[in-house]
Amino acid sequence: MCTGACSRFIAIPLYILALVSVICNIILFFPDFKTKYADTASDGVDMLTPEVKYMGGLIGGGIMVLIPAIHIHLTSANKCCANRCGMFLSIGFAAAGVLGAVYSLSVASLGLANGPVCLWKNEINPIPQWGAPFANSSGSYLDDKEMWKWCEEPVNVVQFNLGLFSTLLVAACVELVLCAIQMVNGLFGCICGTCAKAE
């Protein structure tokens, strides 16, 4: 496969993954698909999971991957960047995509480890309160579905966060791999040239 065709093969999935990351991050702002949780409670307690506000999917897996994807795609266009210089620049853009993917991956991992913020109670704390009941569990709550019942509001917030943060995690991993491959592809394109007629 020539380096230009490889760039196209890499760029198209990056577009899709960047879009998925942005959508997941936006949806995370609305647990139970309600806007009221994006605000603070009457006692000043934040009702939104802190990792959502880090915007790993929007900034890292979204914008920081989308911009490199555009340039990587342009390296497959004969009359634009399909030359040694374009391939050299694609290495830097792909490296920026790697950083974005790592940021998104880190935030998603942290979101899964700490769990959601919710109105919760259990046997030890019988009075419902807003907080992150699984923050000190090191992610052990993920294996114990009985613990998920501690969260009373938003409804099914554990499953909601688990699904979206897991999607962000997988998307970031694939973005990371694709951008790393493009760094190698860009190096080959820079040294050996592309498949375009004019170098």
Side-chain angles (χ1 to χ4, degrees):
M1 180 184 292
C2 84
T3 55
C6 184
S7 292
R8 188 182 307 113
F9 178 77
I10 290 169
I12 292 169
L14 284 178
Y15 288 137
I16 296 167
L17 292 166
L19 182 63
V20 167
S21 295
V22 169
I23 291 170
C24 285
N25 202 145
I26 291 170
I27 294 173
L28 276 166
F29 277 96
F30 308 105
D32 199 20
F33 301 100
K34 294 179 181 175
T35 57
K36 67 178 183 177
Y37 301 111
D39 200 3
T40 54
S42 58
D43 56 359
V45 176
D46 199 343
M47 296 187 290
L48 204 58
T49 304
E51 289 77 19
V52 174
K53 295 181 180 179
Y54 298 163
M55 293 194 280
L58 184 63
I59 296 172
I63 296 169
M64 287 183 71
V65 169
L66 182 60
I67 294 171
I70 292 169
H71 180 80
I72 291 167
H73 194 199
L74 290 174
T75 60
S76 66
N78 289 344
K79 295 182 180 178
C80 182
C81 304
N83 51 43
R84 286 184 170 91
C85 181
M87 281 296 184
F88 177 74
L89 290 174
S90 79
I91 298 171
F93 278 102
V98 167
L99 291 176
V102 167
Y103 178 63
S104 182
L105 180 66
S106 302
V107 172
S109 299
L110 197 60
L112 287 171
N114 291 337
V117 169
C118 61
L119 183 66
W120 69 283
K121 68 176 183 179
N122 60 15
E123 297 80 13
I124 301 169
N125 296 303
I127 300 171
Q129 58 183 334
W130 281 98
F134 314 120
N136 298 319
S137 69
S138 301
S140 62
Y141 77 96
L142 294 170
D143 296 328
D144 189 356
K145 290 187 178 180
E146 286 300 312
M147 292 175 70
W148 297 5
K149 296 176 182 176
W150 294 359
C151 285
E152 297 181 345
E153 188 184 350
V155 178
N156 297 323
V157 69
V158 177
Q159 295 92 317
F160 181 83
N161 273 25
L162 180 60
L164 291 170
F165 276 125
S166 296
T167 303
L168 282 172
L169 189 74
V170 171
C173 287
V174 177
E175 287 172 341
L176 183 61
V177 170
L178 290 174
C179 286
I181 291 171
Q182 178 57 32
M183 290 175 73
V184 176
N185 182 53
L187 182 62
F188 277 109
C190 181
I191 294 170
C192 304
T194 64
C195 299
K197 292 179 181 178
E199 290 295 330

